[in-house]
Amino acid sequence: MLKDKFGFNFWPSFTDLMLSLVLVVLIILFVVSKMIASGSENLDKARDSQKSIQSQIQDNISGNYTIAVISDKSNEETNEQMKNSQADITIINKLDRQTITFSDKILFDSGRSDLKPAGYEVLKIVGPVVAANLENISEIQIQGHADIVNTDDFNLTLASARAMAVYKFLQTSVGIDPAKYLMSITSFGKYKPVGREAGQYFDQAKLEAANANNDLKAKNRRIEIVLFYKNDMK
């Protein structure tokens, strides 16, 4: 074996190489196991928050409004249930998010963007429940939607103003600070009817089909509070 001028082995032995390899494998396995454990812990916390929010909404609002819950369904199954549902409020639970959907009659009068008294009462229940689970929530989006009646500008503006009204309620009345907890509004206007997914092929004909009758139009006039849950692996 090759030796240096001091008589030491220059190349590490086969045993040394194997030990080094085993050590590297063990380190990788340790890191991966920690990541999996962290991910499972975040998932458990998200599930606990979803159950807490869902149960408190059901306990405090179901006496006045019908509530539907859709959990762990594919996008196709979720959309089908949404289309067939007659509920006033629908809660959709997925792995990384929870969507609370309000039909427009819950929060607003027709064509208006100021919260009506009954809408305040509903948000006075929903808002604090969301605020109590902010530790596990990474982002809040308030999404406004409309049907195809009226002009694009009108629908986009109305949906935006309604989403802003909910945003301001959560900020000022509930005390959710957007500087601390990421919160935003989005207006889709008429362009994201119930059942449309991002990336899905869509055109004017599909848009009209999604608003083919008064029942479908009513489902599309909605406000959604989307809660994204933490999935970081620290």
Side-chain angles (χ1 to χ4, degrees):
M1 183 175 291
L2 182 64
K3 297 183 180 181
D4 64 13
K5 63 179 180 180
F6 298 104
F8 296 107
N9 290 335
F10 184 77
W11 299 108
S13 68
F14 178 76
T15 302
D16 292 335
L17 287 173
M18 291 303 297
L19 287 174
S20 298
L21 181 60
V22 169
L23 180 60
V24 170
V25 171
L26 288 175
I27 291 173
I28 292 173
L29 290 175
F30 175 78
V31 172
V32 170
S33 66
K34 285 293 185 181
M35 292 175 67
I36 293 174
S38 177
S40 298
E41 182 180 359
N42 286 328
L43 181 59
D44 290 340
K45 288 180 179 180
R47 285 300 193 193
D48 289 343
S49 289
Q50 289 181 355
K51 290 178 182 177
S52 175
I53 291 171
Q54 173 188 317
S55 63
Q56 290 186 63
I57 290 176
Q58 289 176 311
D59 292 344
N60 292 287
I61 299 181
S62 60
N64 298 317
Y65 301 100
T66 55
I67 299 174
V69 177
I70 303 172
S71 297
D72 300 323
K73 301 293 185 181
S74 67
N75 289 338
E76 291 77 13
E77 292 174 309
T78 298
N79 293 334
E80 193 62 29
Q81 290 191 36
M82 284 285 289
K83 290 177 182 178
N84 296 327
S85 175
Q86 299 299 319
D88 299 314
I89 300 171
T90 303
I91 302 172
I92 303 172
N93 297 317
K94 292 187 177 292
L95 281 176
D96 65 335
R97 74 193 65 182
Q98 183 176 44
T99 302
I100 307 168
T101 300
F102 304 88
S103 66
D104 69 330
K105 68 179 182 179
I106 300 296
L107 304 179
F108 305 97
D109 288 323
S110 179
R112 301 290 298 270
S113 61
D114 51 323
L115 287 166
K116 63 183 184 180
Y120 273 108
E121 295 305 312
V122 168
L123 291 180
K124 280 168 64 176
I125 294 171
V126 175
V129 171
V130 171
N133 289 274
L134 288 174
E135 180 182 356
N136 299 320
I137 295 171
S138 62
E139 183 180 354
I140 301 171
Q141 288 184 5
I142 299 100
Q143 300 181 355
H145 303 268
D147 59 24
I148 61 173
V149 178
N150 223 307
T151 65
D152 282 2
D153 287 351
F154 179 87
N155 286 327
L156 284 167
T157 302
L158 179 63
S160 175
R162 287 179 167 183
M164 179 60 78
V166 176
Y167 177 102
K168 295 303 292 184
F169 182 91
L170 295 178
Q171 181 185 25
T172 59
S173 298
V174 179
I176 298 177
D177 181 4
K180 187 175 182 181
Y181 302 102
L182 189 60
M183 185 165 63
S184 65
I185 70 163
T186 299
S187 172
F188 287 94
K190 67 182 182 182
Y191 292 109
K192 194 179 181 185
V194 170
R196 181 176 186 178
E197 296 292 335
Q200 176 186 1
Y201 172 76
F202 225 77
D203 57 16
Q204 184 63 30
K206 286 181 174 291
L207 196 60
E208 292 175 0
N211 290 270
N213 54 53
N214 289 333
D215 185 53
L216 290 174
K217 289 175 184 175
K219 292 179 188 299
N220 293 332
R221 297 190 301 266
R222 67 199 192 278
I223 288 289
E224 296 181 332
I225 299 177
V226 187
L227 309 175
F228 293 88
Y229 286 87
K230 295 179 180 178
N231 61 2
D232 55 306
M233 297 182 180
K234 296 181 179 179

PDB file of all heavy atoms in Angstrom, residues 103-131:
ATOM      1  N   SER A 103     -72.852  31.904   0.859  1.00  0.00           N
ATOM      2  CA  SER A 103     -73.684  32.392  -0.236  1.00  0.00           C
ATOM      3  C   SER A 103     -73.891  33.887  -0.034  1.00  0.00           C
ATOM      4  O   SER A 103     -73.823  34.394   1.087  1.00  0.00           O
ATOM      5  CB  SER A 103     -75.036  31.668  -0.243  1.00  0.00           C
ATOM      6  OG  SER A 103     -75.796  31.989   0.902  1.00  0.00           O
ATOM      7  N   ASP A 104     -74.123  34.605  -1.124  1.00  0.00           N
ATOM      8  CA  ASP A 104     -74.146  36.067  -1.017  1.00  0.00           C
ATOM      9  C   ASP A 104     -75.260  36.575  -0.109  1.00  0.00           C
ATOM     10  O   ASP A 104     -75.148  37.629   0.506  1.00  0.00           O
ATOM     11  CB  ASP A 104     -74.266  36.698  -2.408  1.00  0.00           C
ATOM     12  CG  ASP A 104     -75.624  36.463  -3.051  1.00  0.00           C
ATOM     13  OD1 ASP A 104     -76.243  35.424  -2.762  1.00  0.00           O
ATOM     14  OD2 ASP A 104     -76.062  37.313  -3.840  1.00  0.00           O
ATOM     15  N   LYS A 105     -76.350  35.820   0.023  1.00  0.00           N
ATOM     16  CA  LYS A 105     -77.466  36.296   0.850  1.00  0.00           C
ATOM     17  C   LYS A 105     -77.136  36.277   2.341  1.00  0.00           C
ATOM     18  O   LYS A 105     -77.817  36.931   3.133  1.00  0.00           O
ATOM     19  CB  LYS A 105     -78.706  35.449   0.594  1.00  0.00           C
ATOM     20  CG  LYS A 105     -78.592  34.006   1.081  1.00  0.00           C
ATOM     21  CD  LYS A 105     -79.873  33.235   0.798  1.00  0.00           C
ATOM     22  CE  LYS A 105     -79.771  31.803   1.321  1.00  0.00           C
ATOM     23  NZ  LYS A 105     -81.017  31.051   1.070  1.00  0.00           N
ATOM     24  N   ILE A 106     -76.076  35.569   2.724  1.00  0.00           N
ATOM     25  CA  ILE A 106     -75.701  35.514   4.137  1.00  0.00           C
ATOM     26  C   ILE A 106     -75.118  36.843   4.593  1.00  0.00           C
ATOM     27  O   ILE A 106     -75.449  37.352   5.665  1.00  0.00           O
ATOM     28  CB  ILE A 106     -74.658  34.396   4.377  1.00  0.00           C
ATOM     29  CG1 ILE A 106     -75.221  33.041   3.965  1.00  0.00           C
ATOM     30  CG2 ILE A 106     -74.225  34.362   5.832  1.00  0.00           C
ATOM     31  CD1 ILE A 106     -76.401  32.586   4.760  1.00  0.00           C
ATOM     32  N   LEU A 107     -74.258  37.430   3.789  1.00  0.00           N
ATOM     33  CA  LEU A 107     -73.503  38.600   4.225  1.00  0.00           C
ATOM     34  C   LEU A 107     -74.002  39.909   3.631  1.00  0.00           C
ATOM     35  O   LEU A 107     -73.829  40.966   4.257  1.00  0.00           O
ATOM     36  CB  LEU A 107     -72.019  38.421   3.863  1.00  0.00           C
ATOM     37  CG  LEU A 107     -71.322  37.165   4.399  1.00  0.00           C
ATOM     38  CD1 LEU A 107     -69.867  37.136   3.933  1.00  0.00           C
ATOM     39  CD2 LEU A 107     -71.383  37.114   5.922  1.00  0.00           C
ATOM     40  N   PHE A 108     -74.592  39.868   2.442  1.00  0.00           N
ATOM     41  CA  PHE A 108     -74.906  41.113   1.721  1.00  0.00           C
ATOM     42  C   PHE A 108     -76.311  41.068   1.128  1.00  0.00           C
ATOM     43  O   PHE A 108     -76.835  40.004   0.798  1.00  0.00           O
ATOM     44  CB  PHE A 108     -73.899  41.339   0.588  1.00  0.00           C
ATOM     45  CG  PHE A 108     -72.463  41.347   1.028  1.00  0.00           C
ATOM     46  CD1 PHE A 108     -71.680  40.212   0.914  1.00  0.00           C
ATOM     47  CD2 PHE A 108     -71.893  42.492   1.574  1.00  0.00           C
ATOM     48  CE1 PHE A 108     -70.352  40.202   1.318  1.00  0.00           C
ATOM     49  CE2 PHE A 108     -70.570  42.502   1.985  1.00  0.00           C
ATOM     50  CZ  PHE A 108     -69.803  41.358   1.859  1.00  0.00           C
ATOM     51  N   ASP A 109     -76.878  42.233   0.967  1.00  0.00           N
ATOM     52  CA  ASP A 109     -78.094  42.368   0.186  1.00  0.00           C
ATOM     53  C   ASP A 109     -77.733  42.403  -1.295  1.00  0.00           C
ATOM     54  O   ASP A 109     -76.592  42.710  -1.658  1.00  0.00           O
ATOM     55  CB  ASP A 109     -78.853  43.651   0.569  1.00  0.00           C
ATOM     56  CG  ASP A 109     -79.504  43.549   1.940  1.00  0.00           C
ATOM     57  OD1 ASP A 109     -79.991  42.448   2.280  1.00  0.00           O
ATOM     58  OD2 ASP A 109     -79.516  44.563   2.670  1.00  0.00           O
ATOM     59  N   SER A 110     -78.704  42.117  -2.153  1.00  0.00           N
ATOM     60  CA  SER A 110     -78.458  42.043  -3.588  1.00  0.00           C
ATOM     61  C   SER A 110     -77.873  43.343  -4.125  1.00  0.00           C
ATOM     62  O   SER A 110     -78.394  44.436  -3.878  1.00  0.00           O
ATOM     63  CB  SER A 110     -79.768  41.729  -4.316  1.00  0.00           C
ATOM     64  OG  SER A 110     -79.568  41.682  -5.706  1.00  0.00           O
ATOM     65  N   GLY A 111     -76.742  43.214  -4.831  1.00  0.00           N
ATOM     66  CA  GLY A 111     -76.108  44.365  -5.453  1.00  0.00           C
ATOM     67  C   GLY A 111     -75.387  45.289  -4.506  1.00  0.00           C
ATOM     68  O   GLY A 111     -74.846  46.315  -4.927  1.00  0.00           O
ATOM     69  N   ARG A 112     -75.317  44.934  -3.218  1.00  0.00           N
ATOM     70  CA  ARG A 112     -74.686  45.799  -2.225  1.00  0.00           C
ATOM     71  C   ARG A 112     -73.370  45.191  -1.745  1.00  0.00           C
ATOM     72  O   ARG A 112     -73.152  43.985  -1.805  1.00  0.00           O
ATOM     73  CB  ARG A 112     -75.612  46.001  -1.024  1.00  0.00           C
ATOM     74  CG  ARG A 112     -76.943  46.624  -1.358  1.00  0.00           C
ATOM     75  CD  ARG A 112     -76.792  48.072  -1.759  1.00  0.00           C
ATOM     76  NE  ARG A 112     -76.239  48.881  -0.680  1.00  0.00           N
ATOM     77  CZ  ARG A 112     -76.989  49.496   0.242  1.00  0.00           C
ATOM     78  NH1 ARG A 112     -78.312  49.410   0.192  1.00  0.00           N
ATOM     79  NH2 ARG A 112     -76.419  50.232   1.183  1.00  0.00           N
ATOM     80  N   SER A 113     -72.477  46.045  -1.254  1.00  0.00           N
ATOM     81  CA  SER A 113     -71.184  45.577  -0.747  1.00  0.00           C
ATOM     82  C   SER A 113     -70.975  45.911   0.723  1.00  0.00           C
ATOM     83  O   SER A 113     -69.903  45.635   1.270  1.00  0.00           O
ATOM     84  CB  SER A 113     -70.040  46.184  -1.576  1.00  0.00           C
ATOM     85  OG  SER A 113     -70.048  47.597  -1.487  1.00  0.00           O
ATOM     86  N   ASP A 114     -71.977  46.520   1.357  1.00  0.00           N
ATOM     87  CA  ASP A 114     -71.874  46.768   2.792  1.00  0.00           C
ATOM     88  C   ASP A 114     -72.505  45.605   3.543  1.00  0.00           C
ATOM     89  O   ASP A 114     -73.580  45.121   3.183  1.00  0.00           O
ATOM     90  CB  ASP A 114     -72.559  48.092   3.166  1.00  0.00           C
ATOM     91  CG  ASP A 114     -73.971  48.185   2.624  1.00  0.00           C
ATOM     92  OD1 ASP A 114     -74.207  47.693   1.491  1.00  0.00           O
ATOM     93  OD2 ASP A 114     -74.854  48.724   3.320  1.00  0.00           O
ATOM     94  N   LEU A 115     -71.820  45.129   4.569  1.00  0.00           N
ATOM     95  CA  LEU A 115     -72.317  43.989   5.330  1.00  0.00           C
ATOM     96  C   LEU A 115     -73.669  44.321   5.946  1.00  0.00           C
ATOM     97  O   LEU A 115     -73.852  45.371   6.555  1.00  0.00           O
ATOM     98  CB  LEU A 115     -71.327  43.624   6.440  1.00  0.00           C
ATOM     99  CG  LEU A 115     -70.028  42.937   6.006  1.00  0.00           C
ATOM    100  CD1 LEU A 115     -69.021  42.949   7.152  1.00  0.00           C
ATOM    101  CD2 LEU A 115     -70.302  41.508   5.547  1.00  0.00           C
ATOM    102  N   LYS A 116     -74.622  43.420   5.788  1.00  0.00           N
ATOM    103  CA  LYS A 116     -75.916  43.633   6.415  1.00  0.00           C
ATOM    104  C   LYS A 116     -75.853  43.142   7.865  1.00  0.00           C
ATOM    105  O   LYS A 116     -74.923  42.405   8.248  1.00  0.00           O
ATOM    106  CB  LYS A 116     -77.020  42.926   5.631  1.00  0.00           C
ATOM    107  CG  LYS A 116     -76.918  41.415   5.548  1.00  0.00           C
ATOM    108  CD  LYS A 116     -78.041  40.884   4.672  1.00  0.00           C
ATOM    109  CE  LYS A 116     -78.062  39.364   4.629  1.00  0.00           C
ATOM    110  NZ  LYS A 116     -79.166  38.855   3.777  1.00  0.00           N
ATOM    111  N   PRO A 117     -76.794  43.539   8.724  1.00  0.00           N
ATOM    112  CA  PRO A 117     -76.730  43.165  10.141  1.00  0.00           C
ATOM    113  C   PRO A 117     -76.558  41.670  10.377  1.00  0.00           C
ATOM    114  O   PRO A 117     -75.757  41.269  11.230  1.00  0.00           O
ATOM    115  CB  PRO A 117     -78.065  43.674  10.681  1.00  0.00           C
ATOM    116  CG  PRO A 117     -78.397  44.844   9.808  1.00  0.00           C
ATOM    117  CD  PRO A 117     -77.913  44.458   8.436  1.00  0.00           C
ATOM    118  N   ALA A 118     -77.270  40.845   9.615  1.00  0.00           N
ATOM    119  CA  ALA A 118     -77.124  39.400   9.782  1.00  0.00           C
ATOM    120  C   ALA A 118     -75.720  38.940   9.405  1.00  0.00           C
ATOM    121  O   ALA A 118     -75.174  38.001  10.002  1.00  0.00           O
ATOM    122  CB  ALA A 118     -78.159  38.665   8.935  1.00  0.00           C
ATOM    123  N   GLY A 119     -75.135  39.630   8.413  1.00  0.00           N
ATOM    124  CA  GLY A 119     -73.766  39.304   8.018  1.00  0.00           C
ATOM    125  C   GLY A 119     -72.774  39.599   9.115  1.00  0.00           C
ATOM    126  O   GLY A 119     -71.835  38.829   9.364  1.00  0.00           O
ATOM    127  N   TYR A 120     -72.975  40.724   9.797  1.00  0.00           N
ATOM    128  CA  TYR A 120     -72.130  41.047  10.940  1.00  0.00           C
ATOM    129  C   TYR A 120     -72.205  39.954  11.997  1.00  0.00           C
ATOM    130  O   TYR A 120     -71.180  39.553  12.576  1.00  0.00           O
ATOM    131  CB  TYR A 120     -72.559  42.378  11.557  1.00  0.00           C
ATOM    132  CG  TYR A 120     -71.926  43.593  10.925  1.00  0.00           C
ATOM    133  CD1 TYR A 120     -72.676  44.439  10.120  1.00  0.00           C
ATOM    134  CD2 TYR A 120     -70.587  43.904  11.139  1.00  0.00           C
ATOM    135  CE1 TYR A 120     -72.110  45.573   9.537  1.00  0.00           C
ATOM    136  CE2 TYR A 120     -70.016  45.032  10.566  1.00  0.00           C
ATOM    137  CZ  TYR A 120     -70.782  45.857   9.764  1.00  0.00           C
ATOM    138  OH  TYR A 120     -70.211  46.961   9.184  1.00  0.00           O
ATOM    139  N   GLU A 121     -73.406  39.487  12.269  1.00  0.00           N
ATOM    140  CA  GLU A 121     -73.585  38.478  13.313  1.00  0.00           C
ATOM    141  C   GLU A 121     -72.865  37.183  12.954  1.00  0.00           C
ATOM    142  O   GLU A 121     -72.271  36.527  13.814  1.00  0.00           O
ATOM    143  CB  GLU A 121     -75.075  38.221  13.543  1.00  0.00           C
ATOM    144  CG  GLU A 121     -75.832  39.410  14.100  1.00  0.00           C
ATOM    145  CD  GLU A 121     -75.207  39.941  15.394  1.00  0.00           C
ATOM    146  OE1 GLU A 121     -74.922  39.115  16.284  1.00  0.00           O
ATOM    147  OE2 GLU A 121     -75.001  41.166  15.490  1.00  0.00           O
ATOM    148  N   VAL A 122     -72.910  36.817  11.676  1.00  0.00           N
ATOM    149  CA  VAL A 122     -72.216  35.605  11.244  1.00  0.00           C
ATOM    150  C   VAL A 122     -70.706  35.775  11.381  1.00  0.00           C
ATOM    151  O   VAL A 122     -70.003  34.906  11.925  1.00  0.00           O
ATOM    152  CB  VAL A 122     -72.592  35.261   9.785  1.00  0.00           C
ATOM    153  CG1 VAL A 122     -71.667  34.174   9.233  1.00  0.00           C
ATOM    154  CG2 VAL A 122     -74.037  34.804   9.703  1.00  0.00           C
ATOM    155  N   LEU A 123     -70.181  36.900  10.899  1.00  0.00           N
ATOM    156  CA  LEU A 123     -68.740  37.126  10.970  1.00  0.00           C
ATOM    157  C   LEU A 123     -68.250  37.321  12.397  1.00  0.00           C
ATOM    158  O   LEU A 123     -67.087  37.047  12.707  1.00  0.00           O
ATOM    159  CB  LEU A 123     -68.356  38.326  10.106  1.00  0.00           C
ATOM    160  CG  LEU A 123     -68.482  38.122   8.596  1.00  0.00           C
ATOM    161  CD1 LEU A 123     -68.063  39.387   7.843  1.00  0.00           C
ATOM    162  CD2 LEU A 123     -67.653  36.929   8.117  1.00  0.00           C
ATOM    163  N   LYS A 124     -69.132  37.790  13.294  1.00  0.00           N
ATOM    164  CA  LYS A 124     -68.761  37.924  14.701  1.00  0.00           C
ATOM    165  C   LYS A 124     -68.532  36.564  15.350  1.00  0.00           C
ATOM    166  O   LYS A 124     -67.877  36.466  16.392  1.00  0.00           O
ATOM    167  CB  LYS A 124     -69.852  38.691  15.458  1.00  0.00           C
ATOM    168  CG  LYS A 124     -69.767  40.202  15.262  1.00  0.00           C
ATOM    169  CD  LYS A 124     -71.010  40.905  15.763  1.00  0.00           C
ATOM    170  CE  LYS A 124     -71.184  40.755  17.262  1.00  0.00           C
ATOM    171  NZ  LYS A 124     -72.367  41.541  17.735  1.00  0.00           N
ATOM    172  N   ILE A 125     -69.052  35.525  14.725  1.00  0.00           N
ATOM    173  CA  ILE A 125     -68.804  34.159  15.191  1.00  0.00           C
ATOM    174  C   ILE A 125     -67.607  33.561  14.460  1.00  0.00           C
ATOM    175  O   ILE A 125     -66.696  33.006  15.078  1.00  0.00           O
ATOM    176  CB  ILE A 125     -70.052  33.285  14.973  1.00  0.00           C
ATOM    177  CG1 ILE A 125     -71.197  33.773  15.868  1.00  0.00           C
ATOM    178  CG2 ILE A 125     -69.741  31.817  15.256  1.00  0.00           C
ATOM    179  CD1 ILE A 125     -72.522  33.120  15.579  1.00  0.00           C
ATOM    180  N   VAL A 126     -67.592  33.692  13.138  1.00  0.00           N
ATOM    181  CA  VAL A 126     -66.539  33.068  12.334  1.00  0.00           C
ATOM    182  C   VAL A 126     -65.184  33.731  12.577  1.00  0.00           C
ATOM    183  O   VAL A 126     -64.158  33.045  12.723  1.00  0.00           O
ATOM    184  CB  VAL A 126     -66.897  33.126  10.838  1.00  0.00           C
ATOM    185  CG1 VAL A 126     -65.743  32.600   9.984  1.00  0.00           C
ATOM    186  CG2 VAL A 126     -68.165  32.325  10.567  1.00  0.00           C
ATOM    187  N   GLY A 127     -65.149  35.064  12.624  1.00  0.00           N
ATOM    188  CA  GLY A 127     -63.878  35.785  12.754  1.00  0.00           C
ATOM    189  C   GLY A 127     -63.057  35.382  13.970  1.00  0.00           C
ATOM    190  O   GLY A 127     -61.877  35.010  13.833  1.00  0.00           O
ATOM    191  N   PRO A 128     -63.630  35.422  15.188  1.00  0.00           N
ATOM    192  CA  PRO A 128     -62.852  35.033  16.367  1.00  0.00           C
ATOM    193  C   PRO A 128     -62.408  33.572  16.347  1.00  0.00           C
ATOM    194  O   PRO A 128     -61.352  33.233  16.889  1.00  0.00           O
ATOM    195  CB  PRO A 128     -63.832  35.292  17.519  1.00  0.00           C
ATOM    196  CG  PRO A 128     -64.727  36.365  17.018  1.00  0.00           C
ATOM    197  CD  PRO A 128     -64.904  36.054  15.547  1.00  0.00           C
ATOM    198  N   VAL A 129     -63.201  32.708  15.718  1.00  0.00           N
ATOM    199  CA  VAL A 129     -62.807  31.304  15.610  1.00  0.00           C
ATOM    200  C   VAL A 129     -61.553  31.181  14.747  1.00  0.00           C
ATOM    201  O   VAL A 129     -60.629  30.424  15.069  1.00  0.00           O
ATOM    202  CB  VAL A 129     -63.959  30.463  15.009  1.00  0.00           C
ATOM    203  CG1 VAL A 129     -63.489  29.056  14.686  1.00  0.00           C
ATOM    204  CG2 VAL A 129     -65.139  30.419  15.969  1.00  0.00           C
ATOM    205  N   VAL A 130     -61.510  31.924  13.644  1.00  0.00           N
ATOM    206  CA  VAL A 130     -60.310  31.934  12.791  1.00  0.00           C
ATOM    207  C   VAL A 130     -59.133  32.527  13.565  1.00  0.00           C
ATOM    208  O   VAL A 130     -58.021  31.980  13.553  1.00  0.00           O
ATOM    209  CB  VAL A 130     -60.568  32.740  11.504  1.00  0.00           C
ATOM    210  CG1 VAL A 130     -59.262  32.931  10.718  1.00  0.00           C
ATOM    211  CG2 VAL A 130     -61.610  32.049  10.636  1.00  0.00           C
ATOM    212  N   ALA A 131     -59.381  33.639  14.258  1.00  0.00           N
ATOM    213  CA  ALA A 131     -58.307  34.308  14.998  1.00  0.00           C
ATOM    214  C   ALA A 131     -57.703  33.405  16.064  1.00  0.00           C
ATOM    215  O   ALA A 131     -56.499  33.481  16.343  1.00  0.00           O
ATOM    216  CB  ALA A 131     -58.836  35.589  15.639  1.00  0.00           C
TER     217      ALA A 131
END
